[in-house]
Amino acid sequence: MDTDAILADLAEHWPVYTAIPFIAALIGYITKRVAIEMMFRPLEFVGVRPFLGWQGVLPANAERMAAIATETLTRDLVDPKEIFARLDPEQVVKEIEGPLLEAVDDITREVMEQYQPHVWEALPPNARRMLLARVRAEAPRSITKIMRQVADNIEDVFDLKHMVVTNLARDKALLNSLIRDISRTEMRFIARSGIYFGFALGVVQLFVWALTKEPLVMPAAGFVIGWVTDWLALKMIFLPREPRTFLGVYRWQGVFQKRRHQVAADYGDMIASRIITVPNILETILRGPKSDRLFDMIQREVQRTVDGQAGAVKPVVAFGVGTRRFQDMKRAAAAKAMDRLPETVHHAEDYAVGALDVRNTIVERMRGLGPMQFEALLRPAFRQDEWKLIMVGAVIGGLVGELQVLLMLH
């Protein structure tokens, strides 16, 4: 087709040609939005396994993603021993003193009434009051001692990695929220970039169509638009890691790197409010894979307290229930203490949140990370199955390109 014919065609069909860059921009935007949503949705696999269907990239790789996030968190941001050292055992005891003494009274009565009610009833009132008073007096010292043992041996009773991985892998919506909330700006950038990149490539597409009138050009161009813009947008989130000037005038730094201070604040808020929380920590210590070690600590201390404070009534109790049964009583007291611990310690939660200061610790250390370490917080979420997201964008672009052909031919 000669130049005059091309110009005449452009003049005759200018509305169609004018629409091409805008449709291409729409292709770019749609493919980005679809790619973003496919990262997070659906939470569970929809379709016919193993290949005919889809599950969001993050939910589908929840355990692996949780493990990666935890590795960075525990390696670079949070040291459990340092964090727990901030708790003052004596202040914790003050915070829980009322519930603690109430629990001590209840446990003592329950154990005695369970194992030998007749012996408990036969004890003179003064002897019962003396036993309760001595145990109550010792309880704060025992709790303080146990807390110091826990702080000094935190790795023996608390598995931070297990806690974070378990919570994130179990709650896929929480994992989605962790990544999506801190990368909301990056997601908007990806979607908007599709408009700009798509429009620019659409201009090229316009001239190619004018020159060739080849029906395959539009779907092929749509495929390329979807592929290139998805790939480029994902790269521009993280690269370059440091500000660089392109063509002598255009200065650019990866969006995620540029926002590191705000990302650190958002990440710290999320971790401290929903993952490394006092209830989650307590649940892991009491029910986690190392909970038996805490129980051993409590049992030793309870037995020591009972033996040390029973005093004059100990022979009477041991005689009444038998030596072996007396040991069972002490183990039962330790088990009941474990059961009452969450409810009792709950009263110190406000103090613990402030003392542990998880949020500010994470924020401060995140802001001190190098570019590569900082990138590792979010990059794995995009790297895994990234090609699938790009391919989806390309396929959608090709389909929309085919619609463009139908529009032009009709």
Side-chain angles (χ1 to χ4, degrees), residues 181-401:
D181 286 0
I182 67 170
S183 63
R184 198 168 296 278
T185 298
E186 286 71 31
M187 300 303 173
R188 285 198 297 266
F189 167 79
I190 289 175
R192 286 198 305 266
S193 71
I195 298 174
Y196 308 134
F197 295 149
F199 188 90
L201 291 172
V203 172
V204 176
Q205 190 181 34
L206 182 160
F207 288 106
V208 172
W209 174 259
L211 291 170
T212 66
K213 287 294 192 302
E214 171 58 55
L216 292 178
V217 167
M218 303 309 283
F223 185 92
V224 172
I225 289 171
W227 181 286
V228 171
T229 57
D230 275 17
W231 177 84
L232 191 57
L234 288 170
K235 295 301 179 186
M236 290 180 69
I237 288 177
F238 301 102
L239 302 174
R241 298 184 181 95
E242 300 290 351
R244 289 179 57 187
T245 301
F246 297 88
L247 303 176
V249 293
Y250 187 67
R251 189 170 178 80
W252 183 260
Q253 181 182 16
V255 179
F256 189 62
Q257 295 286 356
K258 190 174 182 179
R259 276 197 332 115
R260 61 185 304 143
H261 279 250
Q262 184 57 50
V263 169
D266 293 342
Y267 193 82
D269 287 338
M270 172 68 74
I271 296 295
S273 65
R274 301 187 63 181
I275 299 176
I276 306 183
T277 65
V278 172
N280 283 350
I281 291 172
L282 191 59
E283 173 68 18
T284 301
I285 291 176
L286 296 178
R287 307 282 184 261
K290 299 182 178 180
S291 59
D292 57 325
R293 300 174 190 178
L294 176 67
F295 180 76
D296 289 343
M297 287 184 186
I298 292 177
Q299 182 170 283
R300 285 195 300 270
E301 189 59 25
V302 167
Q303 290 179 341
R304 187 197 64 78
T305 300
V306 172
D307 288 339
Q309 300 305 317
V313 300
K314 178 181 176 182
V316 178
V317 176
F319 176 78
V321 301
T323 302
R324 181 173 180 178
R325 194 163 173 80
F326 185 54
Q327 296 300 319
D328 291 340
M329 287 176 59
K330 290 188 286 186
R331 282 191 288 270
K336 288 179 181 293
M338 281 280 285
D339 290 340
R340 292 290 292 265
L341 198 56
E343 176 188 348
T344 304
V345 175
H346 169 72
H347 294 271
E349 185 171 335
D350 288 343
Y351 162 74
V353 169
L356 295 176
D357 198 22
V358 172
R359 188 262 181 196
N360 289 329
T361 299
I362 290 175
V363 172
E364 179 182 345
R365 291 186 179 166
M366 275 187 68
R367 290 175 175 172
L369 293 177
M372 289 290 289
Q373 293 171 301
F374 190 76
E375 181 181 316
L377 291 171
L378 188 61
R379 180 62 170 162
F382 292 86
R383 193 186 304 278
Q384 177 70 16
D385 292 336
E386 185 178 279
W387 67 270
K388 292 182 182 179
L389 302 178
I390 295 174
M391 180 58 72
V392 167
V395 170
I396 293 175
L399 292 175
V400 177

